Amino acid sequence: MVERQEQTAPDAVLTRIGQVVMLHHGGDREEARSRFLDLWAEIGEDGDPLHRCTLAHYLADTHDDPVDELAWDLRALSAAEELTDGRAGGDPAGVRGFLPSLHLNLAADYAKLGRAEAARSHLRRARGAAGALADDGYGAGVRSAISRLALRLGEDGEGDEGRPAAVGR
């Protein structure tokens, strides 16, 4: 019985992250960034990878400087990779559904920085990971964002084996 309660108990850190996400979505970007950074200091570089991944993913969106955004998105991916390779336990299958979004964000970061090859590389990885997305609103939204970025990068979005095919301009 105790084991079952522990499995269903809410994760206080993820709840706190969710509260700050709502603050950010409500329009208070500066306060959200400040609170996210406070949480990051609490969790630390060696904290729970799921917490680090989630927090870094959302923290990236509070930055105006694309270099800072890229740094946080790279932290999010690094933490997710710890989860998917089994180093941290957790639910690798659940995290796989998050990888398309993480790679999409990195592709967008690199595109903002004018690093087209790096952007295309992460776009390919986002496409390759998109099979793990559920057939729901979130999955459709991520797939749609992948297609939009592919068009921005001059690709049709339907390359063989996850490789984008070029579209003439």
Side-chain angles (χ1 to χ4, degrees), residues 15 22 29 74 95 103:
T15 298
M22 290 188 325
R29 190 175 197 188
L74 287 169
V95 175
H103 284 293

Side-chain angles (χ1 to χ4, degrees), residues 1-163:
M1 181 73 161
V2 171
E3 184 177 312
R4 171 173 235 130
Q5 288 175 342
E6 288 174 2
Q7 289 175 352
T8 60
D11 183 318
V13 173
L14 290 179
T15 298
R16 290 170 63 200
I17 292 169
Q19 291 168 339
V20 180
V21 168
M22 290 188 325
L23 179 69
H24 180 227
H25 288 170
D28 199 343
R29 190 175 197 188
E30 292 298 320
E31 182 63 21
R33 181 184 313 130
S34 175
R35 290 187 190 189
F36 279 143
L37 289 169
D38 289 344
L39 274 169
W40 185 264
E42 224 179 277
I43 292 168
E45 292 284 334
D46 297 320
D48 181 311
L50 178 61
H51 295 159
R52 287 185 288 120
C53 176
T54 306
L55 180 54
H57 175 69
Y58 288 113
L59 185 51
D61 293 338
T62 67
H63 286 278
D64 296 318
D65 184 339
V67 172
D68 293 334
E69 190 174 359
L70 174 63
W72 285 107
D73 281 331
L74 287 169
R75 285 181 183 104
L77 180 61
S78 177
E81 288 173 343
E82 287 180 42
L83 289 164
T84 58
D85 73 8
R87 283 185 277 165
D91 177 16
V95 175
R96 279 190 210 104
F98 205 34
L99 289 175
S101 178
L102 294 174
H103 284 293
L104 174 63
N105 287 350
L106 285 163
D109 295 343
Y110 283 119
K112 287 178 200 173
L113 293 168
R115 296 177 57 190
E117 268 318 300
R120 286 183 182 99
S121 174
H122 279 282
L123 185 62
R124 283 189 297 271
R125 292 177 74 183
R127 265 198 211 112
L133 292 169
D135 193 18
D136 59 9
Y138 173 77
V142 172
R143 284 194 272 299
S144 177
I146 289 170
S147 295
R148 285 191 307 273
L149 184 56
L151 289 173
R152 271 186 44 214
L153 294 174
E155 301 178 356
D156 72 0
E158 297 296 330
D160 295 336
E161 300 174 9
R163 286 189 301 271

